[in-house]
Amino acid sequence: MSETAIPLRTQRSNSISLRSMVTQGRIDLVVLTALLMLPLLVSGSWSYALGLCFANSIGVLAVSVLVRYGGEVSIGHSFFAAIGAYSVAILEAHFGLPLVVSLPVALIAGIAFGLIFAWPSRRLSGIYLAVSTMALALAMPELIISADRWTGGFEGLYVSKPLIRGVAIEPQRYYATLLVLAAVVYALVQLRRSRQGRAMLLARTHPAAAEAFGTRRSWARVSVMGISGGIAAVSGAMIAFASSAVSPTGYTFWSSIFLLVGSVVSFYGLTLTRALIGGAFLTLVPQLLSGSGAWIPVFYGVALIGVVLLGHFSPKWIELAAARRREVK
């Protein structure tokens, strides 16, 4: 192989990757524009469901970030979502603060707890890290109930303060959650382009090379968990705002499992479209199947398997179709 072959191949790969990012960005922009116009066409119940879908999509992104940048799986992200949700609810119920103030607090709290958890577990990986995150999810409902003076215990707390006074809160819940989702996606795009983001990816794929360039893998793992925890807390905060209430039953171990399912369905994508696919599986698909009675779990499982198989085989089908078109030409 000639010495110029590898640079040419790298340039070609970078060019394809850049074109793919531009194309995906355009698709996300079209989807975002359509969603901004959608409340003009759908009823109030669907507007409410879509608001929850957007909030769950942020949670899906939180799990996907951990997989993409850390190479690890979490089954305890409902813990961080609960941190964000109760930050918003407590600040409103006890201090009268609106979402515009409590959301940054929720983000900081999520990052802080992510770092606190990540530091002692930075050398764990695989099933061991997954089990340790599961402990967080199992403990969180009991912690909420035991702190009933602040959290409201079993009854929970209400989140009813609007962002803009004098404007109906229902459209605010829809648009605020959608715009926060778009902001998280934009922040992740900037992270991917940043030097720190590339360093974290290098630490995951080539730890020895990352060490040679001065990036310690332990630093990368702790940083990724902090970022993922912060995004999950934002998801919880927006779930609280979109649903108008928080309670311990909304942040159980099964909530973490469903976030992982949404991340798998989205194929760990960090784009708006991929995140919405995962969020829809958590929110909209169960609503569509609500009339199926006892068959809901069966149909949900079939839909889940169908989406996973379609995502797995569709690139091969596209390549095969393109090859046949070239043969015809």
Side-chain angles (χ1 to χ4, degrees), residues 235-292:
S235 170
M238 299 316 299
I239 289 174
F241 183 72
S243 63
S244 75
V246 295
S247 67
T249 57
Y251 304 96
T252 63
F253 170 70
W254 287 107
S255 303
S256 296
I257 294 296
F258 282 119
L259 283 178
L260 180 59
V261 169
S263 181
V264 171
V265 168
S266 68
F267 294 93
Y268 312 114
L270 301 180
T271 64
L272 179 65
T273 306
R274 292 281 191 91
L276 286 170
I277 293 173
F281 253 84
L282 301 183
T283 312
L284 302 183
V285 172
Q287 182 168 332
L288 291 172
L289 298 176
S290 60
S292 303

Side-chain angles (χ1 to χ4, degrees), residues 282-322:
L282 301 183
T283 312
L284 302 183
V285 172
Q287 182 168 332
L288 291 172
L289 298 176
S290 60
S292 303
W295 288 90
I296 291 178
V298 177
F299 292 145
Y300 191 85
V302 170
L304 176 61
I305 294 173
V307 170
V308 171
L309 291 177
L310 179 63
H312 178 74
F313 288 106
S314 58
K316 298 179 181 179
W317 295 336
I318 293 173
E319 291 180 2
L320 181 61

